[in-house]
Amino acid sequence: MNWIAIGAIADIPRRGARCVETPQGKIAVFRTADDQVFAIEDHCPHKGGPLSQGIVHGVAVTCPLHNWVISLETGKALGADEGAVRTIPVRVDGERLFIALEALASKAA
Amino acid sequence: MTEKLVIIGNGMAPGRMLEHLLEAAPDRYAVIIFNAEPRVNYDRIMLSPVLSGEKAFEEIVIHGDGWYIKHGITLYKGHRIVAIDREAKTVTSDHGVTESYDSLVIATGSVPFIIPVPGKDLPGVLTYRDLDDVNAMLLAAQSRAKAVVIGGGLLGLEAAAGLKERGMDVTVLHVMPTLMERQLDPAAGYLLQKAVEARGIKIMTKANTKAIFGNGKVEGVELMDGTIIPATLVVMAVGIRPSITLAKEAGLEVNRGIVVDDRMRTSDPAIMALGECAEVGGHVYGLVAPLYEMARIAAARLADGEDRRFVHSDTPTKLKVTGIDLYSLGDFADGEDREEIILRDASAGIYKRVVLQDNRIIGTVLFGETADGAWFNDLKKKATDISEMRDTLIFGQAFQGGVSSDPLAAVAALADDAEICGCNGVCKGKITGAITGKGLTGLDDVRAHTKASASCGSCTGLVEQLLKLKLGEAYNPAAVQPMCGCTSLGHDDVRRLIKAKGLKTIPAIMQELEWKTSCGCAKCRPALNYYLVCDWPDQYADDYQSRFINERVHANIQKDGTYSVVPRMWGGVTSAGELRAIADVVDKFEIPMVKVTGGQRIDMLGIRKEDLPAVWADLGKAGFVSGHAYAKGLRTVKTCVGTDWCRFGTQDSTGLGIRIEKFMWGSWTPAKVKMAVSGCPRNCAEATCKDVGVVCVDSGYEIHFAGAAGLDIKGTEVLGLVKTEDEALEVIVALVQMYREQARYLERIYKWAKRIGTAEIKRQILDDTSKRKAYYERFVFSQKFAQVDPWSERVSGKDKHEFRPMASVGFAEAAE
Ligand SMILES: Cc1cc2nc3c(=O)[nH]c(=O)nc-3n(C[C@H](O)[C@H](O)[C@H](O)COP(=O)(O)OP(=O)(O)OC[C@H]3O[C@@H](n4cnc5c(N)ncnc54)[C@H](O)[C@@H]3O)c2cc1C
Ligand code: SF4
Ligand code: SF4
Ligand code: FES
């Protein structure tokens, strides 16, 4: 596993998200109200909306374009909608955040 | 092999027939429909509420496009069938489409009768039959000029009430001495006339139209006695004729209508007819109840089901003008062998008359109080001998046999086979059976399962009482729609409790009001955030994580994830310097699209999120601030050039627009607010379809509100006329503050106004000056905290994290 540092947890607002740019596209890194951190592709399974710009509630985000609700844990659309985005492993080490880039590389391959 | 069923006409009768047929024999036919009207099947009865503005067209659609797709039905919209070839068994439309059939159903309805007077073809002369007529009337009504309705029957009066509601000055011409003489006796006709006149509609009886005149378009109506009535709109509502030409040309037997037997067969065994175009047993019909019975019979026959036969019965007539209660049924002419019982209560505006023959009811007219209509109808239908209760009969059901005057008890006392919904022929037992059997809990459920009260809606009260009877406490007619899945409270309760309990943060609300989720959802959080911003302007810290992205980054997200930016141009006025600055920004940031918006602004589209602060910095240097084109807040005040330039201008509309915009920008509202100021009634700024509009006139400023020109189209209501610019500003500000404090999140002004009622808004804003002042002052106070330019804040570093990626990783590896 190749963990790459992306910054500190304080960089992300609670119930918010930031983007990480990678050659394979953007990753959205979320921080929930209780400081859990998740990373998923920043690309809604519906029509590619930027999930990082959505409203974060519980462990889910609502896409800003057409309101699909995506689980941050599984990447799957919740409710009646069907679809999923790739989830990326995250590790919180004290204040520091790391993501596992292989997950991305394997996608590019 | 499936048989081909072709239907000509897509009105209410064949629509209902298909519902029955799909239930009984879903796969038997391949169904093809031709409809001259270019649309799906809708509730024609409800056109009057659409005309008056109580309903939108979408609300009266019976079968949406999806329904036809789901059932594999081909619907040719806007195709009029011009020929039936009975030999070849084909029909051909005016667009040249030919389809063959195994079975053909003719359901062409009726055409309005046009009185053959000179001028009947002038532009501005309309009939009242379909949505196109309603749209044409709505367009004409925008002038708020004079309209004449010819015909004082059901349709004519509904048209008149609708046009009046839309601000026209309406006169009804009726050829007979009293209104609705075919359904009402003269006494009730007189009361009806009084009630209609009380709403400001003029009525002329014994008025015989001689000609409609005008040069190129309608200018007025001339009566036989020489009277001239000026009008820019004339609606003819003098009756209908079954639409039989097509059937006649095909050689089918026709009389007044297309002649069918009691199973809806025409003289050709492969062809059936139903609806208003059909004549059965010598009768033609113009109300839906018998047409729905025809639909049931035709469907049974097509499905080879039960052998149902059509029997004539009287259908009650009700007028659908809000506030006028009228019910008439059966025969009430005077006669040797007839007796009548009458009740009059002039002060309460009530008149009731029951006509008896051999101690049995044969006719009923009720005016002013119609709750007993169903009961009288039931007695009549069953030919009940009423001699026992003769003395109290007219007082209604509540007076009989110890039943108390409690309306619930009265409904409880109705027999199971008593008819509740006349339009759809639904009896009490069927409704109560469905409530218990299917576990129904609300009006919409009952409508979906039994159709009771789903057509003209006048039996809604009875259905609600049945629900109450069966469900007891569990039935709460005012049951509110919860805000979202996180709570069982509705918006209004939440707003009330925020104030009452002094809740000042989102977590406090969720704790105190027992939210079911830990931190809400994307529906409730933005709503709660708005309510707090509005209610505690000086104490609440706006929670940006509970705002939609557009409001969080102060730009509009586009489908590709880029943003658009609209700088404020006060009142739509700009300058060479501003335009030059915009041009420079467009070049510098290679902005792919620049567009002029409907609100007189310039929109720059396709900006990358990272570039937003730099774009704003450059715009800010030229003096621009945010145009809030993304906000649930004050968007734009559109203006015309008014007295500054226009030869028609009566006031400085541009100046007033700018003044309003400078006063109100930055305020958050439940939904977006768009305004306009026009310098005269020519209304070049289109103020009469805005959330708030001003139309300047010589004597002052006419304040308009509650218009819409989006998903719904609705002309504004007039709040009132004020004399000075200062008053205009105060009234508008107070109105918007009332809306801010009362509306539900995302509820536009026109929907809020419909809920609260124009009269109440007028009372609080125009009549009650101290209320108005208080609203005004609360708005002014909240502006102290709202009028901060969000763009310059962000240029100076606020919310930096929003506009930059957190990190860029992995690029080196990928390059290999
Ligand atoms: C404003 C208004 C208010 C009303 N209020 C009430 C009320 O309160 N209670 C009540 O019971 N009834 C009311 N009615 C009457 C009721 O709406 C009608 O009885 C009912 O809609 C008739 O249904 P239908 O299917 O026979 O015909 P329609 O609904 O008229 O449908 C006929 C359709 O066939 C189409 N058509 C005609 N010729 C052709 C052709 N050659 N080829 C293809 N298509 C063709 C027409 O365009 C039309 O769409 C009201 C009617 C109006 C207009
Ligand atoms: S609304 Fe009247 S004043 Fe304004 S531009 Fe049009 S005609 Fe002129
Ligand atoms: S009309 Fe529809 S497509 Fe056009 S901008 Fe508005 S929402 Fe988008
Ligand atoms: S793109 Fe996300 S909901 Fe449509």
Side-chain angles (χ1 to χ4, degrees):
Chain A
M1 214 33 99
N2 180 14
W3 295 102
I4 299 193
I6 53 168
I9 189 165
D11 295 342
I12 312 175
R14 283 212 174 104
R15 297 172 306 155
R18 297 284 302 270
C19 287
V20 173
E21 290 185 330
T22 79
Q24 288 81 30
K26 283 184 182 164
I27 296 174
V29 186
F30 295 86
R31 175 179 177 191
T32 64
D34 52 0
D35 289 339
Q36 297 185 69
V37 179
F38 298 94
I40 61 177
E41 274 178 299
D42 193 16
H43 190 89
C44 177
H46 178 219
K47 291 196 172 173
L51 294 170
S52 57
Q53 321 285 293
I55 289 183
V56 181
H57 45 94
V59 280
V61 60
T62 296
C63 175
L65 291 197
H66 317 93
N67 297 327
W68 279 31
V69 180
I70 310 293
S71 158
L72 300 177
E73 283 168 324
T74 65
K76 291 205 177 97
L78 300 174
D81 302 314
E82 271 178 43
V85 287
R86 178 184 295 260
T87 57
I88 291 109
V90 192
R91 182 189 287 169
V92 188
D93 181 9
E95 286 294 297
R96 313 278 302 147
L97 296 181
F98 299 86
I99 56 170
L101 258 199
E102 287 91 344
L104 289 171
S106 69
K107 180 193 170 195
Chain B
M1 211 195 76
T2 47
E3 298 160 61
K4 262 172 99 176
L5 170 64
V6 171
I7 304 174
I8 308 176
N10 194 34
M12 300 182 69
R16 179 55 66 88
M17 177 191 83
L18 281 173
E19 285 179 12
H20 291 303
L21 182 60
L22 290 170
E23 208 175 286
D27 303 318
R28 168 127 177 217
Y29 294 95
V31 181
I32 298 153
I33 311 175
F34 289 90
N35 196 28
E37 268 186 79
R39 53 186 68 92
V40 292
N41 176 27
Y42 60 95
D43 192 347
R44 195 175 302 284
I45 298 184
M46 286 307 195
L47 283 176
S48 295
V50 173
L51 178 64
S52 68
E54 285 166 55
K55 277 199 157 51
F57 177 68
E58 291 68 33
E59 295 176 66
I60 69 162
V61 166
I62 299 178
H63 297 137
D65 282 306
W67 186 85
Y68 296 92
I69 295 168
K70 180 171 152 213
H71 294 289
I73 295 171
T74 311
L75 170 61
Y76 287 97
K77 294 180 194 170
H79 281 246
R80 175 179 297 279
I81 293 297
V82 288
I84 304 172
D85 183 340
R86 289 165 54 199
E87 288 283 295
K89 288 195 159 184
T90 60
V91 298
T92 303
S93 83
D94 54 355
H95 295 300
V97 173
T98 299
E99 282 281 0
S100 62
Y101 64 84
D102 296 304
S103 296
L104 179 67
V105 170
I106 305 181
T108 44
S110 305
V111 282
F113 181 66
I114 314 259
I115 17 176
V117 290
K120 66 180 169 42
D121 298 322
L122 281 172
V125 181
L126 299 174
T127 54
Y128 189 16
R129 181 70 194 172
D130 59 25
L131 183 68
D132 298 321
D133 297 328
V134 170
N135 285 338
M137 282 190 239
L138 290 180
L139 202 65
Q142 285 178 3
S143 67
R144 295 172 191 277
K146 290 184 193 306
V148 163
V149 176
I150 306 182
L154 196 80
L155 280 193
L157 293 176
E158 290 188 8
L163 291 171
K164 176 75 201 172
E165 199 67 27
R166 294 290 185 169
M168 291 198 89
D169 177 356
V170 186
T171 306
V172 176
L173 305 180
H174 191 53
V175 73
M176 302 304 283
T178 58
L179 295 178
M180 289 182 70
E181 76 288 344
R182 279 190 300 157
Q183 293 91 6
L184 296 183
D185 56 11
Y190 167 81
L191 285 171
L192 174 61
Q193 178 167 347
K194 289 273 158 250
V196 175
E197 283 169 346
R199 353 190 105 214
I201 296 169
K202 293 183 210 85
I203 295 192
M204 300 175 69
T205 53
K206 295 188 249 179
N208 218 329
T209 305
K210 181 173 168 198
I212 300 171
F213 61 89
N215 200 349
K217 61 176 179 8
V218 170
E219 286 164 18
V221 177
E222 183 184 353
L223 302 183
M224 288 293 182
D225 65 5
T227 312
I228 300 272
I229 307 152
T232 55
L233 168 69
V234 172
V235 179
M236 278 206 204
V238 290
I240 51 173
R241 296 285 175 272
S243 187
I244 58 170
T245 323
L246 185 65
K248 197 168 164 185
E249 284 169 3
L252 295 173
E253 186 189 343
V254 296
N255 185 25
R256 273 206 292 160
I258 305 169
V259 176
V260 294
D261 68 5
D262 59 2
R263 300 194 67 200
M264 303 299 125
R265 281 175 298 209
T266 66
S267 54
D268 179 331
I271 304 181
M272 302 167 76
L274 81 163
E276 284 186 348
C277 63
E279 173 177 331
V280 47
H283 290 278
V284 291
Y285 296 89
L287 291 171
V288 291
L291 310 186
Y292 281 171
E293 179 59 17
M294 293 183 190
R296 224 167 272 143
I297 291 166
R301 167 141 190 269
L302 284 168
D304 281 329
E306 56 172 334
D307 181 6
R308 260 185 113 107
R309 287 171 193 262
F310 190 86
V311 214
H312 170 81
S313 73
D314 289 329
T315 307
T317 305
K318 297 157 205 159
L319 184 69
K320 299 185 302 298
V321 173
T322 312
I324 301 184
D325 291 324
L326 173 74
Y327 182 99
S328 116
L329 173 78
D331 184 352
F332 37 79
D334 293 326
E336 286 278 299
D337 52 346
R338 296 178 176 185
E339 278 183 84
E340 56 178 21
I341 305 177
I342 294 178
L343 178 147
R344 289 181 207 265
D345 180 343
S347 62
I350 292 172
Y351 169 80
K352 301 183 185 184
R353 175 157 170 256
V354 176
V355 180
L356 305 173
Q357 192 169 29
D358 299 331
N359 287 324
R360 282 164 180 88
I361 296 180
I362 59 165
T364 308
V365 185
L366 306 175
F367 188 91
E369 202 198 81
T370 54
D372 281 314
W375 183 66
F376 286 125
N377 187 8
D378 196 43
L379 293 176
K380 168 174 177 292
K381 231 187 201 159
K382 297 202 189 115
T384 310
D385 186 329
I386 54 85
S387 19
E388 293 280 286
M389 48 184 164
R390 177 179 225 99
D391 292 343
T392 54
L393 181 70
I394 196 79
F395 295 97
Q397 187 186 13
F399 265 80
Q400 314 308 322
V403 177
S404 75
S405 61
D406 170 10
L408 259 194
V411 177
L414 283 178
D416 263 356
D417 60 353
E419 187 173 273
I420 301 289
C421 174
C423 290
N424 292 294
V426 189
C427 64
K428 176 183 161 189
K430 184 155 176 206
I431 299 172
T432 50
I435 294 172
T436 3
K438 300 211 168 83
L440 309 185
T441 55
L443 194 57
D444 287 343
D445 286 350
V446 174
R447 286 181 177 161
H449 282 94
T450 68
K451 297 236 179 287
S453 78
S455 291
C456 83
S458 57
C459 63
T460 304
L462 285 174
V463 174
E464 287 190 313
Q465 280 164 0
L466 286 175
L467 278 161
K468 213 182 284 168
L469 204 63
K470 284 283 140 187
L471 302 177
E473 285 297 296
Y475 177 62
N476 174 6
V480 281
Q481 182 85 9
M483 267 176 87
C484 64
C486 305
T487 175
S488 50
L489 296 170
H491 285 268
D492 300 338
D493 281 329
V494 171
R495 288 211 81 165
R496 184 174 51 76
L497 291 167
I498 287 176
K499 284 261 161 199
K501 294 182 175 250
L503 305 175
K504 295 185 182 169
T505 63
I506 292 180
I509 297 176
M510 292 184 173
Q511 183 60 35
E512 286 292 317
L513 306 185
E514 298 177 357
W515 239 241
K516 297 178 208 158
T517 50
S518 64
C519 73
C521 72
K523 271 196 187 145
C524 57
R525 282 234 312 274
L528 297 179
N529 188 57
Y530 166 72
Y531 295 155
L532 293 168
V533 165
C534 174
D535 289 345
W536 317 109
D538 52 337
Q539 301 174 45
Y540 178 64
D542 202 325
D543 174 21
Y544 268 66
Q545 297 312 132
S546 294
R547 285 193 177 273
F548 290 118
I549 183 66
N550 287 355
E551 293 184 347
R552 204 154 72 222
V553 300
H554 297 276
N556 295 59
I557 194 166
Q558 303 297 322
K559 68 174 204 177
D560 61 354
T562 65
Y563 288 80
S564 76
V565 160
V566 181
R568 203 167 274 287
M569 286 177 176
W570 308 102
V573 178
T574 184
S575 67
E578 286 187 347
L579 292 174
R580 212 169 278 124
I582 289 179
D584 288 343
V585 166
V586 170
D587 284 345
K588 178 165 165 194
F589 295 93
E590 296 175 335
I591 294 173
M593 169 111 154
V594 186
K595 193 176 173 308
V596 175
T597 71
Q600 300 182 331
R601 302 299 140 102
I602 291 179
D603 192 1
M604 288 166 264
L605 296 111
I607 303 176
R608 298 185 316 137
K609 193 180 183 192
E610 299 79 63
D611 287 341
L612 286 173
V615 166
W616 293 333
D618 282 9
L619 291 172
K621 277 181 215 143
F624 281 117
V625 295
S626 163
H628 290 90
Y630 47 80
K632 311 285 175 233
L634 175 72
R635 294 266 175 106
T636 52
V637 182
K638 195 171 167 175
T639 66
C640 78
V641 292
T643 38
D644 274 356
W645 297 93
C646 178
R647 64 205 162 101
F648 298 114
T650 61
Q651 311 282 355
D652 178 12
S653 48
T654 325
L656 175 58
I658 293 174
R659 190 170 162 200
I660 296 173
E661 193 163 342
K662 292 210 157 154
F663 201 87
M664 300 186 76
W665 73 273
S667 61
W668 298 103
T669 43
K672 61 185 168 188
V673 172
K674 296 185 176 180
M675 302 195 186
V677 185
S678 285
C680 82
R682 284 170 191 77
N683 194 14
C684 296
E686 293 156 356
T688 52
C689 62
K690 293 287 182 279
D691 296 295
V692 180
V694 180
V695 176
C696 300
V697 289
D698 284 322
S699 55
Y701 304 82
E702 201 176 60
I703 315 280
H704 288 242
F705 74 115
L711 281 174
D712 291 335
I713 304 192
K714 182 181 170 299
T716 45
E717 323 262 336
V718 179
L719 187 61
L721 180 80
V722 297
K723 290 207 182 59
T724 66
E725 223 184 81
D726 291 348
E727 283 174 279
L729 184 72
E730 184 175 298
V731 165
I732 290 171
V733 165
L735 169 70
V736 171
Q737 181 65 14
M738 182 176 174
Y739 163 64
R740 295 181 75 223
E741 291 175 13
Q742 297 189 353
R744 301 169 186 162
Y745 190 62
L746 299 185
E747 185 176 50
R748 292 289 291 268
I749 288 196
Y750 72 103
K751 296 209 164 143
W752 164 73
K754 189 170 158 190
R755 200 156 56 73
I756 305 294
T758 311
E760 179 59 20
I761 296 172
K762 275 191 189 155
R763 198 182 64 69
Q764 297 201 21
I765 300 299
L766 277 192
D767 307 344
D768 187 337
T769 34
S770 62
K771 266 230 158 70
R772 170 165 86 223
K773 283 255 159 20
Y775 278 126
Y776 177 84
E777 252 128 48
R778 285 201 292 276
F779 184 85
V780 172
F781 179 70
S782 79
Q783 282 299 76
K784 282 203 235 163
F785 311 93
Q787 284 195 330
V788 182
D789 177 34
W791 287 359
S792 63
E793 275 188 307
R794 273 145 199 85
V795 170
S796 44
K798 187 171 180 199
D799 288 344
K800 272 200 301 280
H801 64 83
E802 277 290 357
F803 302 96
R804 286 191 206 145
M806 185 179 190
S808 285
V809 296
F811 285 91
E813 287 94 316
E816 289 165 9

